[in-house]
């Protein structure tokens, strides 16, 4: 028996570090790392020890003989990665040769404790904090503009992906670490300035992500019923800055989504999924109620290029194919589509569409009675039509145009970073200019995650990104290049409390967690989230 890595793989390589026989690849020191959709277990060399499964932060690794449903196909997916790869010759019992030992960091024995602030408590920020806490004697201040921690894990991961959300438990163990101070609900640039934050710490790491969405720039984009997929994701995840009534599903039988990446597939899946299957998740109460009364029966995914360039991962498309009661269709409106699917290389998203029905969809007809998702390639939105709200989407069609009637339009064409007050910003890329994570022109200031590299890579990509940034920070500390904070360690906490009486600390965060889990237990759910800022602050104060 061997193990296999499945859909929810986060690629943070925790499994690689615990494997005793080096059977999980690509590893962080191999060229393919960060370029493949996931990591893979070599079935020829796995010794069935289970160390990888125990270490996996997202519960993605299982014995092959226990795989069922959509996961059954991952035994072949893992094996296929090694089909044309011969293990390097190795001395000793391992089939895969170990790389030479590497010690990228070297801290002197008398390395003095440093104070580091991390702005943002999503995966990028928490990987950086974890690195500092586990490998140095640093004191870490966690700052987040929301009164609850989690970032993308809490508000960006789909509720029907509980395994992926499990990485939050890995991070939460550091929230109560004795060398951690937490100030949630505190916004840099509003409650404290970047200069004040820097003055109280040896270094500051900004992990603020990419909070904005990219716009299409087409007529009608701001009509009611035209929204960003990022807002829709926040809505069904109970983000406190998105109102419960921000999305109306009661009248739209057809929804058009611009984009076919993983976020587009997430929103399509949630829109047509059986609400009964979501009732046991942490989906927002208002979203679950809206989905139960939803009129949506069809979701159309627009891709401006062909199926060979589909932006989604094969694992997400594979999951979509196993969605109960939902048909998948490829709109065969363009003569290039069929040949591209048939010629697609094995293992990619396009190849997975070979057994999906292809038909030329008649958009003049209403959505059918069943639930379905339609992939429409070589088609881009030109205009959202309608007088008072979205009524349709004018799209490209070969050398002409077509009109797709729809009551809701979601744009899922990517995220974009926002400028941080006090930091330089590159408008073209939506990132902060940096060198190895060190912000250009600002001593002691660093970036990590999407604000550093742009909105690319999943949760696990932030681990190697954080390692680079923390490595640069520590090298600067050893070289004496960090400014020393003038105020004493507790002064920043006093400053925060003087500016924001609603700031939440680690005990308040624990109170929110207990209250949400308690609310969920009655309905057999992992938690029921508080969906407004006042509710979160009140729950945090419930400890008193």
């Amino acid at each position: 028996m061997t193990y296999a890595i499945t859909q929810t793989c986060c690629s943070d390589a925790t499994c690689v570090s615990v494997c005793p026989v080096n059977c999980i690849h690509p590893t962080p020191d191999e060229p393919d790392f960060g370029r493949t959709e996931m990591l893979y277990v070599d079935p020829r060399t796995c010794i069935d020890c289970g160390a990888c499964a125990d270490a996996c932060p997202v519960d993605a690794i299982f014995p092959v003989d226990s795989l069922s449903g959509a996961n059954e196909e991952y035994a072949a997916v893992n094996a296929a990665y090694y089909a044309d790869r011969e293990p390097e010759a190795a001395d000793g019992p391992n089939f895969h040769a170990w790389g030479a030992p590497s010690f990228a960091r070297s801290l002197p024995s008398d390395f003095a404790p440093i104070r580091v602030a991390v702005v943002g408590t999503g995966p990028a920020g928490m990987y950086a904090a974890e690195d500092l806490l586990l490998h140095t004697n640093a004191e870490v201040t966690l700052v987040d503009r929301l009164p609850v921690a989690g970032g993308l894990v809490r508000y960006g991961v789909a509720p029907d992906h509980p395994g992926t959300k499990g990485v939050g438990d890995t991070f939460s163990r550091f929230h109560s670490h004795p060398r951690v101070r937490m100030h949630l609900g505190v916004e840099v640039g509003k409650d404290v300035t970047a200069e004040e934050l820097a003055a109280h710490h040896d270094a500051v790491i900004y992990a603020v992500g990419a909070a904005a969405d990219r716009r299409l720039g087409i007529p009608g984009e701001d009509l009611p019923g035209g929204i960003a997929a990022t807002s829709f994701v926040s809505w069904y995840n109970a983000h406190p800055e998105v109102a419960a009534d921000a999305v109306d599903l009661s009248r739209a039988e057809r929804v058009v989504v611009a984009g076919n990446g993983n976020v587009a597939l997430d929103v399509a899946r949630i829109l047509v999924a059986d609400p009964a299957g979501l009732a046991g998740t942490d989906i927002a109460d208002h979203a679950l109620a809206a989905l139960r009364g939803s009129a949506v029966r069809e979701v159309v995914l627009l891709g401006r290029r062909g199926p060979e360039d589909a932006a989604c991962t094969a694992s997400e498309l594979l999951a979509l194919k196993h969605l109960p009661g939902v048909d998948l269709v490829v709109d065969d409106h363009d003569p290039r589509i069929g040949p591209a699917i048939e010629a697609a290389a094995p293992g990619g998203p396009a190849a997975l569409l070979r057994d999906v029905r292809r038909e030329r969809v008649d958009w003049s007809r209403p959505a059918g009675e069943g639930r379905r998702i339609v992939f429409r390639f070589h088609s881009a939105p030109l205009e959202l039509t309608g007088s008072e709200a979205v009524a349709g989407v004018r799209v490209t069609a070969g050398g002409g145009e077509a009109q797709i009637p729809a009551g809701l339009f979601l744009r899922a064409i990517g995220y974009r970073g926002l400028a941080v007050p006090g930091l330089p910003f590159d408008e073209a890329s939506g990132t902060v200019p940096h060198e190895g994570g060190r912000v250009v022109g600002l001593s002691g200031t660093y970036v990590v995650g999407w604000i550093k590299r742009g909105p690319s890579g999943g949760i696990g990509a932030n681990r190697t990104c954080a390692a680079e940034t923390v490595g640069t920070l520590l090298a600067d500390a050893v070289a004496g290049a960090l400014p020393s904070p003038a105020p004493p360690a507790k002064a920043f906490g006093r400053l925060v409390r003087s500016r924001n009486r609603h700031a939440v600390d680690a005990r308040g965060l624990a109170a929110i967690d207990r209250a949400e889990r308690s609310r969920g237990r009655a309905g057999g759910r992992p938690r029921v989230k508080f969906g407004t800022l006042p509710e979160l602050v009140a729950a945090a104060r419930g400890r008193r």
Side-chain angles (χ1 to χ4, degrees), residues 419-426 431-433 439-442 445:
V420 179
L423 271 63
F425 188 69
D426 182 349
T431 61
V432 172
V439 175
V440 174
L442 285 180
T445 305

Side-chain angles (χ1 to χ4, degrees), residues 422-508:
L423 271 63
F425 188 69
D426 182 349
E427 286 288 349
S429 65
T431 61
V432 172
H434 69 92
E435 297 172 347
R438 183 193 304 110
V439 175
V440 174
L442 285 180
S443 176
T445 305
Y446 304 83
V447 284
V448 69
W450 283 1
I451 196 63
K452 170 187 172 184
R453 65 182 191 272
S456 63
I459 289 173
N462 292 296
R463 191 181 189 210
T464 50
C465 181
E468 179 190 51
T469 294
V470 171
T472 300
L473 186 159
L474 294 177
D476 289 348
V478 171
L482 297 183
S484 298
K490 295 183 178 180
F492 183 69
R494 291 194 292 268
L495 174 66
V496 167
R497 290 190 293 272
S498 72
R499 303 273 181 84
N500 184 345
R501 61 189 182 90
H502 297 305
V504 174
D505 59 14
R507 289 181 297 174

Side-chain angles (χ1 to χ4, degrees), residues 161-186:
H161 285 0
T164 305
K165 286 179 177 284
V167 73
D169 295 332
T170 300
F171 297 143
S172 65
R173 64 194 171 117
F174 294 104
H175 294 162
S176 56
H177 192 285
R179 284 187 278 119
V180 168
R181 296 292 178 269
M182 183 173 284
H183 304 285
L184 306 178
V186 176

